[in-house]
């Protein structure tokens, strides 16, 4: 005799909806770390030396250096925007969260593009050479570039990845607590009534009188 067919169970379908929720929760910590690290790298690199050169004077050569902020202020500004967007993701819901996540991703993309374009830019060095020489259009020699523009670009990539994670999984991330939000009518929710004072404890009676309450009621 053939074995009786086993009844079908719904174990597998019941587990499938939980998998996206677990994936969303697991993506929260990496997104926070990527966003915070990316903004920190971009801000750090913006204050470091990006290029060096020498301005030619009558008495000799004068070394000149420029930082990332001298070359372009875009990476530092967008890093601040990205960091603010990373925090704002948890303050909004639904469509607002998608918009903020897109802003986070675009901030990272902008940081990367600006840092890459600023790597070979010598206009800031020429301006400093002109200030040193006192002649407009002064040239610089022996120009060298540091690795800091690429550090800023790496920070932008991390911000971009954080934005992508927020776009894909952000809908399932928790939001800030609504315990202090106003009710739809505009008024705050009902407050809890203060506990009745213990008439056998004098300190409780004095506290009640200080609040303007009648402890005998």
């Amino acid at each position: 005799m053939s074995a009786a067919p086993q009844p079908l169970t719904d174990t597998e379908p019941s587990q499938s909806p939980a998998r996206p929720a677990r994936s969303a929760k697991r993506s929260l910590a990496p997104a926070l770390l990527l966003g915070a690290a990316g903004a920190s790298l971009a801000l750090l690199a913006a204050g470091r030396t990006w290029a060096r050169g020498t301005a030619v004077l009558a008495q000799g050569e004068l070394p000149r250096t420029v930082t990332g902020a001298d070359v372009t202020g875009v990476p530092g500004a967008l890093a601040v925007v990205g960091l603010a967007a990373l925090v704002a993701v948890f303050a909004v819901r639904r469509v607002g969260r998608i918009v903020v996540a897109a802003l986070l991703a675009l901030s990272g993309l902008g940081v990367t593009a600006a840092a890459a374009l600023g790597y070979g830019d010598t206009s800031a060095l020429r301006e400093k050479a002109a200030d040193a020489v006192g002649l407009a259009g002064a040239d610089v020699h022996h120009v060298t570039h540091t690795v800091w523009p690429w550090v800023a670009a790496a920070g932008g990539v991390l911000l971009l990845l954080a934005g992508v994670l927020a776009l894909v999984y952000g809908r399932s991330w928790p939001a800030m607590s609504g315990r202090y939000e106003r009710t739809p009518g505009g008024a705050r929710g009902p407050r809890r009534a203060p506990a009745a004072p213990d008439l056998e404890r004098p300190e409780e009676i004095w506290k009640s009188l200080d609040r303007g309450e009648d402890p005998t009621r």
Side-chain angles (χ1 to χ4, degrees):
M1 294 179 64
S2 60
Q6 296 181 352
L8 296 176
T9 62
D10 56 349
T11 303
E12 192 65 27
S14 63
Q15 293 178 350
S16 57
R19 291 178 181 174
R22 286 197 299 266
S23 300
K25 290 181 179 180
R26 290 174 182 173
S27 66
L28 176 57
L32 288 173
L33 292 175
L34 288 172
S40 299
L41 284 177
L43 289 172
L44 176 65
R48 294 294 188 267
T49 300
W50 282 26
R52 297 183 178 90
T54 55
V56 179
L57 301 174
Q59 297 83 4
E61 296 182 343
L62 181 64
R64 298 281 88 182
T65 61
V66 288
T67 65
D70 295 329
V71 176
T72 173
V74 174
L78 288 182
V80 174
V81 172
L83 193 59
L86 182 66
V87 176
V89 165
F90 302 96
V92 294
R93 296 184 177 90
R94 300 183 180 89
V95 178
R97 179 165 290 186
I98 296 175
V99 173
V100 174
L103 178 62
L104 175 59
L106 290 175
S107 298
L109 186 62
V111 169
T112 302
L117 292 174
Y119 176 75
D121 190 359
T122 59
S123 59
L125 266 177
R126 291 176 180 175
E127 289 180 4
K128 285 205 170 185
D131 292 340
V133 176
L135 296 174
D139 201 2
V140 289
H141 303 278
H142 311 297
V143 177
T144 58
H145 300 277
T146 67
V147 74
W148 286 108
W150 300 118
V151 174
V157 172
L158 296 182
L159 279 172
L160 176 60
L161 292 176
V164 171
L165 287 175
L167 283 171
V168 176
Y169 299 106
R171 297 178 183 177
S172 302
W173 289 353
M176 288 184 179
S177 175
R179 59 182 296 188
Y180 298 108
E181 294 181 355
R182 293 182 178 270
T183 58
R188 296 184 182 273
R191 296 183 178 180
R192 292 183 178 180
D198 187 357
L199 299 180
E200 296 182 357
R201 301 179 62 185
E203 65 273 12
E204 293 293 333
I205 298 177
W206 283 112
K207 290 180 181 179
S208 179
L209 291 173
D210 289 338
R211 294 193 298 265
E213 301 171 358
D214 185 0
T216 61
R217 290 190 300 175

